[in-house]
Amino acid sequence: MKRDLARRPASLLLSGLLLLAACGVSSEAEVTPAGEPLGTREAAICSGTSVSTLSLAGISTYQGEMAGAGDWAVTYPANAVRLEYYVDGTLIGTAERCNASGGLSSCTGSGSWSFSLAGVSCGAHTFQIKAYPMTISSAGDRETCWSNVRVLTQTVGENCTAKAATTTSHFSVARDGENNLWAWGDNWAGQFGDGTTTTTRKVPAKMPGISNVKEVSLGFYHTVALKHDGTVWTWGYNGSGQLGDGTTTTRNTPGIVPGLSGIVAIAAGGSFNLALKNDGTVWSWGDNWTGPLGDGTEITRLSPVRVVGLTGVTALAAGINHSVALRNDGTVWAWGRNMAGELGDGTATVRTTPVRAQGLTGVVSIAASYWQTMAVKSDGTGWVWGRNWAGQVGDGTNTDRYTPVQVLSGVKAMSGGFGHTVAVRNDGTVWTWGDNSQGQLGNGTTTGRNVPGQVPGMSGVSTVATGSNAVYNTVVVKNDGSVWAWGSDNTSSSGVLGDGVSSKSLTPVRVLNLGP
């Protein structure tokens, strides 16, 4: 495509005129503010003059470049046009066109224009072109008819590539490659952070008011984001102090958690949160029934408190009412509710301070779901323990496991829901097991299984969406940045599958607006 604008990063806006050499125009060209009264000569020239044609063949974005083209024509006595290009309401640059092939004296009143700009962020943008009729004499004198403007506008978008995702039974959030957040599903408590509590989105939309996000995690009805500057931001339901701002007031826009800095990782449980500081200590706040805050009590905390006796931590995970930490020595520690052995200490005893999961060393990643915990070791083996009513442990039984059980090899990531477990293997395939009543295993049936089985047709997957509160849905992110989901949204109306149509699917569907 022909381009008449030098390519510039979007952050470096063009302030001067970009003029065609064919017009012989210098950078000292007339710049008359729109709305200034016309002089006698200019009024005579501009009387009855107009931009008779201004066409936009199309504007598009691809891999950070916006480009487009069209045609223009002016009525006599005008023989040229001044063009102004705007992106999202900001003037990017200008140009003069006179369609001159033999010098100024041969200027004609019609021609084409083209535009390109590099460094454009993904997402929706508004492109606008304004055209003013001009006369350019053989001597180079020019008049611009500022009051006779013609305008065309087009909204254009480029899908953002997802880097990670997190999900609940009611809504999902993805982080894109530019560290922005995209949300879809139910928003009754303001967990989208867009200032509303009524929006239900069946396709992802970009979250306003939050950027530079390193990590995001979801509770039942609240959202937690970690920024690259080490601060933590929360929004949504706050009935148990899960927003960490010292109140129980629900908030539908992002707000910083006071007193937290130097945070390197986060995890949201049902109605509580965990944060890992760069010194290896863990901090928690929110609902503390059965002790998931790890401070030795069951007292709800409206502001962060330190987890007792735990240092050297490198990663966090949270279930509905239990918490999990990975230490730098490869051991796993857990605390909170323990109804089915999800703490891995061989008991069903509630722990209000951390205890070590038995028999596990060399662990490199952890995950947690309702009443279940998962770990991946450095040798690629996947381990599961806790509730097993639907076979979600994956050992071929339906017996709860109070200590870790190895179930799969070649694993790089794991996650789970209310009664099912998901693993991504090193070859990019996805394996599922457990409850399948809503199609959450993704194999086209509603038949459960208590051993791992491959999801047909899914390959090139980089990670599975984390989340303590996914019930009957599964979400994965592919290497190409696309997001796929299957199962049910549990309400038939929240749109948590993100494809704009389905409330339930037994096989993977593409989540819209994310990926190439």
Side-chain angles (χ1 to χ4, degrees), residues 429-473:
T429 59
V430 180
W431 295 67
T432 55
W433 58 98
D435 179 37
N436 196 28
S437 58
Q438 302 297 316
Q440 56 267 52
L441 300 191
N443 60 4
T445 77
T446 56
T447 303
R449 59 186 176 218
N450 55 18
V451 293
Q454 186 174 347
V455 178
M458 288 303 297
S459 61
V461 173
S462 59
T463 189
V464 58
T466 60
S468 62
N469 310 303
V471 179
Y472 302 118
N473 59 305

Side-chain angles (χ1 to χ4, degrees), residues 167-172 184-186 191-192 218-220 222-223 496:
T167 189
T168 74
S169 58
H170 304 284
F171 71 110
S172 299
W184 63 101
D186 184 40
Q191 57 265 39
F192 288 174
L218 307 181
F220 269 132
H222 75 283
T223 305
V496 75

Side-chain angles (χ1 to χ4, degrees), residues 152-168:
L152 287 178
T153 303
Q154 179 179 321
T155 299
V156 61
E158 178 177 348
N159 288 349
C160 292
T161 56
K163 294 298 183 182
T166 181
T167 189
T168 74

